[in-house]
């Protein structure tokens, strides 16, 4: 694994820009009613997923909750396939059958996109079980929100992972809120990472607004897991700039709080680090941003022009053998 | 053929599938060291080792989900519920994750998992431990559900379930674990397809449609009816979903009368679906309204006399048959 190389970091910066611009367009297209259902944006949290994927191999397993656009993009799913999924089109990463909350991409080892809070945490443990069962040295990255840590499924999954010593990193994206409920109002702990202690799982807190810190920590943990499988827990402290979903004005928090985090923006931070180290010029940054915007705009066009999933195939994706009972 | 118990038949099916495919593993509470709460997995730990026969803590939601996740990346888990009454704690995994994944991923992730264990009322276990879950699960698109009544069907259906590329529930009949029946010897591959009913007894006056624990009941009643010159045909559904419409229609077209005896509750029960399909497709074949015998629509009482009153029994079934035969 290559750590801290310039090319990687600039690439990762452009991934973060792609995520940001994708989400902005998704929001706009939602307002234009091109996107249906629930839609949850990742803006503000980009350093978490970017840092995590930068630290692991392409064949490691990634699974997350419903705030999942970024995770698919980070895994290498094209902006076209992501936007088309939002539009419910046949060319979407889940053929238009999953929607915003259910992005899947087997080829890129993106295992969803899961919309029942914490229900995917046991799935992640099962994926890690399969890794160990086969004697592989992969790692499963399981992302979830601060809201997931009070669900039974989460607790059962952590216990199983610890009991069977499975190769999995539980990554809690603590953005301080589950919808309108702050962590203070949902969780009896001083800090979320202490949940891991109850299962004898090593846990650490990272600054989720800092790409480098996330990457370093995940790389270190992944290395240790590949040597000898075990679970690990990371609480990444981050913030979502937008409401919980498109319909949420986020009136449960103050403008000042939001501003405080915006000043700590993960993209601005990495950009500043790279600029200071003379690894990136302003012109190069502008160029990356322009590219991201163009990619996303092209994705909107692609999604708009893509066909609907055919009605005749309605029953084709219920049973793997096409059974119609 | 030789005579073995329903329990042995299931045990053979598990052993043969574990032997055949290294991706198959068995996981559940007390399946390994304890040798199975109902001894269905007896000897499997000794034969296949702890990597493939795995004891879990009491965490149905957790290990059912673990199975679904393992299936997403190519393993073929067999998840044992100590009883399907406890599967309700894992309802989200069985109903929301296993059957939805294939659709939600646009066909990228099928889930080849088997959920198995005893289902349906046993003796005086009270309301929490007596659930017949077949109608809940059969109502979910993406799941397949079977409920074998004989050792031969149990073995053949479980083996088929393990090889199926979809989530399949094998609802075993707790009261039948010790029942015996003729089964092919182990060196003869026995696979019984899902979605195929079996006529367990031929008859000409009335079709009694049944499954799982109601099959021996129906057979017993048929023998009694014979003495009163009523010839009952016993159609064992074996699979609830897919449902073998053809076998049902063939039988009812011949007898012109149908009674469904089911082990679940009447409201939205399996019989309601069977009944609907018969009247919709072969209405003209019917000489009498279809009757259903099911549990009474109450949580299961512990009291023995009341429990008996809740369950289908020979008297209720005979009365229903006589009603459709105008006898
Ligand atoms: C079992 C379940 N209960 C409730 C919901 C509704 N719901 C969707 S998201 C959410 C908040 C989750 O917050 P968190 O886990 O912190 O993730 P974030 O939205 O902050 O990314 C709730 C309550 C759900 N999807 N699933
Ligand atoms: Mg949150």
């Amino acid at each position: 694994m290559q750590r801290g190389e310039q090319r990687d970091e600039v690439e990762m910066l452009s991934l973060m820009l792609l995520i940001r611009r994708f989400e902005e367009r998704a929001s706009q297209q939602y307002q234009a009613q091109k996107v249906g259902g629930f839609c949850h944006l990742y803006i503000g949290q980009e350093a978490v997923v970017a840092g995590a994927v930068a630290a692991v191999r392409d064949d490691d397993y990634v699974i997350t909750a419903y705030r999942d656009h970024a995770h698919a993009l980070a895994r290498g799913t094209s902006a076209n396939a992501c936007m088309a999924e939002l539009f419910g089109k046949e060319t979407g990463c889940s053929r238009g059958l999953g929607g915003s909350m259910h992005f899947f991409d087997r080829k890129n080892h993106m295992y969803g996109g899961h919309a029942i809070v914490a229900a995917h945490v046991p799935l992640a443990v099962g994926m890690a079980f399969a890794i160990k069962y086969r004697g592989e040295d992969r790692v499963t990255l399981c992302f979830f929100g601060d809201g997931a840590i009070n669900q039974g499924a989460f607790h059962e999954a952590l216990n199983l992972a610890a009991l069977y010593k499975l190769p999995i990193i539980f990554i809690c994206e603590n953005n301080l809120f589950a919808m309108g409920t702050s962590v203070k109002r949902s969780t009896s702990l001083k800090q979320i990472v202490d949940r891991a202690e109850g299962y004898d799982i090593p846990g650490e807190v990272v600054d989720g607004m800092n790409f480098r810190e996330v990457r370093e920590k995940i790389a270190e943990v992944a290395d240790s897991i590949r040597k000898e499988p075990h679970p690990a827990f990371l609480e990444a402290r981050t913030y979502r700039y937008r409401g919980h979903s498109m319909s949420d004005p986020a009136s449960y928090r103050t403008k000042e709080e939001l501003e405080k985090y915006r000043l700590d923006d993960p993209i601005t931070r990495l950009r500043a680090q790279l600029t200071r180290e003379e690894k990136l010029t302003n012109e190069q940054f502008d160029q990356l941003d322009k590219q991201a915007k163009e990619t996303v705009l092209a994705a909107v066009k692609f999604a708009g022009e893509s066909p609907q999933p055919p009605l005749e195939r309605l029953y084709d994706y219920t049973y793997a053998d096409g059974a119609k009972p | 053929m030789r005579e073995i118990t329903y329990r042995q038949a299931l045990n053979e099916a598990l052993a043969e599938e574990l032997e055949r495919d290294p991706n198959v593993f068995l996981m559940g509470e007390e399946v390994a060291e304890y040798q199975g709460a109902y001894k269905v997995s007896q000897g499997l730990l000794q034969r296949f080792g702890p990597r493939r026969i795995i004891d879990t803590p009491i965490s149905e939601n957790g290990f059912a989900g673990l199975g679904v996740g393992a299936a997403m990346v190519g393993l073929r888990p067999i998840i044992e519920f100590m009883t399907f009454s406890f599967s309700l704690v894992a309802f989200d995994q069985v109903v929301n994750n296993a059957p939805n994944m294939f659709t939600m991923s646009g066909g990228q992730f099928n889930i080849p998992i088997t959920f198995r264990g005893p289902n349906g009322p046993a003796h005086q276990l009270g309301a929490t431990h007596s659930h017949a879950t077949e109608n809940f699960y059969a109502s979910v698109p993406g799941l397949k559900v079977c409920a074998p009544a004989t050792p031969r069907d149990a073995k053949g259906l479980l083996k088929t379930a393990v090889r199926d590329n979809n989530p399949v529930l094998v609802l075993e009949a707790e009261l039948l674990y010790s029942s015996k029946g003729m089964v092919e010897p182990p060196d003869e591959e026995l696979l019984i397809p899902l979605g195929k009913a079996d006529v367990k007894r031929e008859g000409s006056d009335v079709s009694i449609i049944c499954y799982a624990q109601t099959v021996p009941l129906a057979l017993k009643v048929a023998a009694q009816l014979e003495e009163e010159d009523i010839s009952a045909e016993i159609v064992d559904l074996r699979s609830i979903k897919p449902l073998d419409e053809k076998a049902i229609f063939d039988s009812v077209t011949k007898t012109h009368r149908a009674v469904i005896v089911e082990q679940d509750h009447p409201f939205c029960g399996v019989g309601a679906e069977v009944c609907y399909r018969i009247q919709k497709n072969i209405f003209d074949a019917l000489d009498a309204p279809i009757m259903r015998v099911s549990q009474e629509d109450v949580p299961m009482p512990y009291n023995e006399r009341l429990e008996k009153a809740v369950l289908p029994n020979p008297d209720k079934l005979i009365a229903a048959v006589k009603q459709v035969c105008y006898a």
Side-chain angles (χ1 to χ4, degrees), chain A residues 145-147 173 175-178:
Chain A
D146 47 280
E173 301 195 58
N175 58 13
L176 307 184
F177 288 93

Side-chain angles (χ1 to χ4, degrees), chain A residues 3 7 36 53 142 175 202 256 275-276 281 311:
Chain A
R3 254 188 252 171
R7 211 181 62 85
V53 300
C142 175
N175 58 13
E256 292 71 34
T275 312
R276 210 179 312 121
T281 63
L311 273 176

Side-chain angles (χ1 to χ4, degrees), chain A residues 14-32:
Chain A
S14 59
L15 168 66
M16 287 161 70
L17 281 165
L18 177 67
I19 294 170
R20 173 95 29 121
R21 301 309 175 209
F22 181 93
E23 296 291 58
E24 288 167 356
R25 275 293 162 199
S27 164
Q28 183 213 35
Q29 293 300 307
Y30 192 91
Q31 252 113 36

Side-chain angles (χ1 to χ4, degrees), chain A residues 127-188:
Chain A
M127 289 156 52
F129 174 88
I131 293 172
K132 188 167 178 183
Y133 186 90
R134 296 196 179 107
E136 298 169 345
D137 70 344
R138 294 183 218 243
V139 173
T140 297
L141 301 186
C142 175
F143 296 86
F144 49 89
D146 47 280
I149 65 157
N150 300 311
Q151 273 283 43
F154 166 87
H155 286 265
E156 295 188 21
L158 257 69
N159 183 54
L160 290 168
L163 197 63
Y164 301 145
K165 301 191 174 55
L166 301 179
I168 182 166
I169 311 179
F170 297 102
I171 304 169
C172 180
E173 301 195 58
N174 178 9
N175 58 13
L176 307 184
F177 288 93
M179 294 183 72
T181 304
S182 69
V183 174
K184 278 196 206 81
R185 293 201 300 126
S186 70
T187 303
S188 63

Side-chain angles (χ1 to χ4, degrees), chain A:
Chain A
M1 213 217 43
Q2 313 169 318
R3 254 188 252 171
E5 284 194 3
Q6 180 201 344
R7 211 181 62 85
D8 279 345
E9 292 198 325
V10 173
E11 236 175 62
M12 286 297 138
L13 181 65
S14 59
L15 168 66
M16 287 161 70
L17 281 165
L18 177 67
I19 294 170
R20 173 95 29 121
R21 301 309 175 209
F22 181 93
E23 296 291 58
E24 288 167 356
R25 275 293 162 199
S27 164
Q28 183 213 35
Q29 293 300 307
Y30 192 91
Q31 252 113 36
Q33 299 188 340
K34 297 284 185 196
V35 180
F38 292 139
C39 182
H40 310 84
L41 304 181
Y42 196 70
I43 297 176
Q45 302 184 203
E46 293 90 344
V48 182
V49 80
V53 300
V56 299
R57 297 194 319 229
D58 288 346
D59 67 343
D60 287 323
Y61 297 152
V62 169
I63 183 167
T64 187
Y66 48 85
R67 199 178 294 286
D68 60 350
H69 310 165
H71 301 73
L73 289 167
R75 246 3 206 154
T77 311
S78 70
N80 282 2
C82 290
M83 193 62 78
E85 189 57 36
L86 294 184
F87 279 47
K89 295 299 184 71
E90 169 79 350
T91 51
C93 58
S94 304
R95 289 187 201 262
L97 306 182
S100 164
M101 303 192 287
H102 308 115
F103 277 20
F104 288 86
D105 186 348
R106 180 190 269 282
K107 183 168 72 16
N108 286 304
H109 294 290
M110 163 64 179
Y111 295 88
H114 297 271
I116 299 299
V117 171
H120 69 291
V121 186
L123 302 186
V125 170
M127 289 156 52
F129 174 88
I131 293 172
K132 188 167 178 183
Y133 186 90
R134 296 196 179 107
E136 298 169 345
D137 70 344
R138 294 183 218 243
V139 173
T140 297
L141 301 186
C142 175
F143 296 86
F144 49 89
D146 47 280
I149 65 157
N150 300 311
Q151 273 283 43
F154 166 87
H155 286 265
E156 295 188 21
L158 257 69
N159 183 54
L160 290 168
L163 197 63
Y164 301 145
K165 301 191 174 55
L166 301 179
I168 182 166
I169 311 179
F170 297 102
I171 304 169
C172 180
E173 301 195 58
N174 178 9
N175 58 13
L176 307 184
F177 288 93
M179 294 183 72
T181 304
S182 69
V183 174
K184 278 196 206 81
R185 293 201 300 126
S186 70
T187 303
S188 63
L189 295 167
K190 280 196 202 69
Q191 47 173 14
I192 283 176
V193 69
D194 295 343
R195 277 272 187 271
E197 211 180 303
Y199 298 98
D200 249 343
I201 294 176
E204 279 187 79
V205 178
V206 286
D207 178 356
M209 307 304 264
N210 185 339
F211 167 83
R212 286 181 174 173
E213 194 179 320
V214 176
R215 184 193 52 193
E216 291 313 309
K217 188 46 69 184
I218 301 258
E220 183 190 315
V221 173
D223 276 356
S224 140
I225 290 175
R226 286 190 221 283
K227 285 193 197 96
E228 179 71 51
H230 66 84
F233 191 102
L234 230 58
E235 175 190 345
R237 299 211 172 132
T238 182
Y239 203 75
R240 65 167 153 76
Y241 297 174
R242 301 294 182 95
H244 165 71
S245 64
M246 298 303 300
S247 59
D248 170 27
S251 50
Y252 41 81
R253 58 191 196 188
T254 62
K255 278 206 181 66
E256 292 71 34
E257 182 179 287
L258 176 58
E259 268 324 296
K260 188 185 101 191
Y261 283 99
R262 271 182 192 279
L263 289 174
D264 198 21
D265 185 76
I267 294 178
T268 314
R269 257 216 216 179
L270 182 56
R271 176 191 180 174
Q273 284 163 335
L274 290 169
T275 312
R276 210 179 312 121
E277 293 160 10
E278 298 184 356
K279 292 171 178 164
L280 183 78
T281 63
N282 285 339
E283 293 69 43
Q284 281 168 328
F285 179 84
D286 291 344
Q287 190 55 34
L288 294 179
D289 197 23
K290 188 161 161 267
Q291 269 168 19
K293 285 177 178 162
E294 283 169 6
T295 304
V296 172
L297 213 54
V300 170
K301 185 162 181 287
F302 171 82
E305 289 168 356
S306 287
Q308 304 275 354
L311 273 176
E312 317 79 78
R313 302 202 64 185
L314 179 60
Y315 280 91
D316 288 2
Y317 298 106
T318 305
Y319 292 95
D321 49 11
K324 296 173 178 63

Side-chain angles (χ1 to χ4, degrees), chain B residues 290-310:
Chain B
I290 303 162
M291 292 289 291
R292 290 172 63 201
V293 177
S294 68
Q295 287 190 46
E296 298 299 319
D297 207 2
V298 295
M300 185 63 81
Y302 161 71
N303 174 274
E304 191 174 18
R305 196 165 70 120
L306 289 180
E307 182 179 68
K308 283 200 171 118
V310 167

